[in-house]
Amino acid sequence: NAGVTQTPKFQVLKTGQSMTLQCAQDMNHEYMSWYRQDPGMGLRLIHYSVGAGITDQGEVPNGYNVSRSTTEDFPLRLLSAAPSQTSVYFCASSRQGGANVLTFGAGSRLTVL
Amino acid sequence: KNQVEQSPQSLIILEGKNCTLQCNYTVSPFSNLRWYKQDTGRGPVSLTIMTFSENTKSNGRYTATLDADTKQSSLHITASQLSDSASYICVVYQGFGNEKLTFGTGTRLTIIP
């Protein structure tokens, strides 16, 4: 049982480049979300989805896009990377919303030069 | 403003010793509080989840307490092991129609032999 799988684990981008962070879960969870973790700050919610075809913004959505075409996948897109987006990104899922315990992926470390 | 504050920021103890980590929150409404363990380079993993009616919950050598009146929680680790070295994150879930999770910045615990 793989749980939540994130790829890539590490990525270096130049300012203005675009990329997609992949997230997949095999637990049939309805709720999926993306967080960023920066030094000295708690995890901050970027975008979340309560089911296929439904997405919504979190606390820090600017500069990021998401889509949810299947229950299993929830990719995070950076359209034009900026140095302020240098961070560690975590995908998390749960059976049903924030009430349930989140299962996190291993994280993706992104550096924007 | 909803906040979760953890103390200390970092802690170093000898293997075999006990320690207690603190979490104070101002989140309202309050539905439940979770403690997560995050190993370096990994995603957070749930240790416990406590509702407002629960005062104490144990998970092996980890014991969490909750005082909903004073809005304080603690995580006590007994007979520490080297594998306990990690960051411990306190998270509060509001519920009651608000799906928001508020994350603390974590306590970095280092166990030395």
Side-chain angles (χ1 to χ4, degrees):
Chain A
N1 194 347
V4 178
T5 303
Q6 290 183 235
T7 56
K9 194 163 179 62
F10 301 96
Q11 183 72 49
V12 178
L13 290 177
K14 294 181 179 179
T15 298
Q17 287 185 318
S18 62
M19 76 156 301
T20 299
L21 299 177
Q22 301 291 344
C23 176
Q25 53 91 8
D26 61 358
M27 297 171 285
N28 202 30
H29 283 172
E30 290 296 321
Y31 181 88
M32 296 187 73
S33 53
W34 277 102
Y35 290 87
R36 60 178 289 172
Q37 187 174 40
D38 300 295
M41 302 185 74
L43 284 151
R44 292 182 292 168
L45 181 65
I46 304 172
H47 285 285
Y48 67 96
S49 168
V50 298
I54 306 169
T55 63
D56 208 345
Q57 296 181 351
E59 183 183 356
V60 288
N62 293 341
Y64 308 95
N65 278 356
V66 292
S67 60
R68 184 95 179 270
S69 56
T70 66
T71 298
E72 294 78 20
D73 300 299
F74 191 45
L76 178 71
R77 298 183 185 86
L78 285 72
L79 299 178
S80 179
S84 61
Q85 294 179 303
T86 293
S87 186
V88 180
Y89 292 85
F90 289 97
C91 180
S93 72
S94 71
R95 244 183 337 109
Q96 193 175 7
N100 299 117
V101 171
L102 291 172
T103 300
F104 284 86
S108 297
R109 181 175 292 275
L110 174 66
T111 302
V112 182
L113 304 175
Chain B
K1 180 182 178 182
N2 290 326
Q3 284 187 315
V4 174
E5 296 183 349
Q6 294 187 243
S7 61
Q9 271 192 325
S10 62
L11 182 63
I12 301 173
I13 64 172
L14 289 172
E15 183 180 12
K17 298 296 187 182
N18 304 335
C19 66
T20 300
L21 314 180
Q22 300 290 342
C23 173
N24 296 338
Y25 61 93
T26 59
V27 178
S28 181
F30 170 85
S31 183
N32 64 52
L33 181 146
R34 308 103 183 261
W35 283 93
Y36 283 85
K37 178 186 179 188
Q38 184 176 20
D39 293 316
T40 301
R42 309 291 294 271
V45 175
S46 178
L47 291 175
T48 67
I49 178 170
M50 302 179 72
T51 64
F52 64 89
S53 61
E54 296 176 298
N55 299 120
T56 304
K57 184 172 274 191
S58 292
N59 179 0
R61 294 180 295 100
Y62 300 100
T63 299
T65 66
L66 174 65
D67 185 335
D69 291 331
T70 62
K71 299 187 176 181
Q72 296 178 325
S73 176
S74 65
L75 182 68
H76 185 76
I77 303 174
T78 303
S80 61
Q81 300 176 359
L82 297 178
S83 60
D84 293 330
S85 293
S87 288
Y88 292 84
I89 302 172
C90 177
V91 186
V92 175
Y93 171 64
Q94 291 187 242
F96 300 100
N98 189 332
E99 289 296 301
K100 184 173 173 57
L101 293 167
T102 304
F103 289 77
T105 56
T107 292
R108 178 69 202 176
L109 177 64
T110 302
I111 311 297
I112 57 176

